[in-house]
Amino acid sequence: MLEKCKTAQERWGGVDKLIDRWLAERQVLVDHYTALRDRTDPSISIQQSLNNFCIALLDYVSAGHFAVYEQLVRGAEEAGDERALDLMAQVMPRIETITQFAVIFNDYYGAQNTRVLKEDVMHSRLLKMGGLLLERFELEDCLIEVLHNAYRSSHCVTETME
């Protein structure tokens, strides 16, 4: 997962400041996920690691839904790229399902959690969350590529016409 995250940053970094910030948030999320999954820092309690992960998780999914996706759609609409908009319509239901799982994970394990932590159950759910995040990152990378190419193509046409 970490390697795919770095690849996306290298590929899309610099395209747009919003996407740059979002990909940086993705990296933070992956770092917290890895630290929690592998328990790399035993000086931090498992609950603190869970809190750190849940905060990064909600920050990332919120930025996607409330900022990045809207901007990507706007760019595709401005470019008049129906293919990109169709892809967005196909991919968004799956991304929303993954978001729902992330919110449920946060509600169950986040800072407001007063339940007794069963580490084996949490670890199993964390691994599932990791798989879903990997799927989401791949879907988002595809969206960025298609929508960015639509945006870039429309700007190249506009610049050539001027």
Side-chain angles (χ1 to χ4, degrees), residues 10-107:
E10 290 166 0
R11 213 154 102 205
W12 306 117
V15 171
D16 180 85
K17 289 182 188 209
L18 178 63
I19 291 174
D20 286 348
R21 282 192 308 270
W22 190 48
L23 292 174
E25 287 180 20
R26 180 191 285 186
Q27 184 61 54
V28 169
L29 174 60
V30 168
D31 292 345
H32 285 299
Y33 172 82
T34 303
L36 179 59
R37 183 195 65 200
D38 299 343
R39 299 290 296 135
T40 56
D41 188 351
S43 68
I44 298 177
S45 73
I46 193 164
Q47 189 59 55
Q48 185 58 50
S49 291
L50 265 169
N51 290 343
N52 293 343
F53 173 70
C54 287
I55 290 166
L57 180 63
L58 287 186
D59 287 349
Y60 181 80
V61 299
S62 296
H65 282 283
F66 299 115
V68 177
Y69 302 151
E70 289 177 11
Q71 182 171 332
L72 291 173
V73 168
R74 196 171 322 121
E77 289 171 343
E78 289 172 6
D81 190 325
E82 290 300 317
R83 179 179 155 253
L85 294 169
D86 288 345
L87 175 65
M88 188 77 163
Q90 291 172 8
V91 168
M92 283 311 296
R94 183 62 186 153
I95 289 176
E96 288 170 2
T97 298
I98 295 169
T99 297
Q100 289 172 356
F101 187 87
V103 170
I104 291 167
F105 186 95
N106 175 73
D107 289 348

Side-chain angles (χ1 to χ4, degrees), residues 91-146:
V91 168
M92 283 311 296
R94 183 62 186 153
I95 289 176
E96 288 170 2
T97 298
I98 295 169
T99 297
Q100 289 172 356
F101 187 87
V103 170
I104 291 167
F105 186 95
N106 175 73
D107 289 348
Y108 197 85
Y109 291 110
Q112 303 304 317
N113 175 27
T114 57
R115 296 175 186 87
V116 174
L117 181 63
K118 296 179 183 172
E119 285 191 46
D120 56 330
V121 174
M122 183 280 300
H123 190 73
S124 174
R125 290 176 180 161
L126 179 68
L127 292 177
K128 181 175 181 179
M129 185 78 257
L132 291 171
L133 286 173
L134 182 57
E135 179 184 353
R136 182 187 181 111
F137 296 161
E138 290 170 355
L139 292 171
E140 291 168 344
D141 290 348
C142 184
L143 284 176
I144 292 169
E145 182 172 354
V146 169

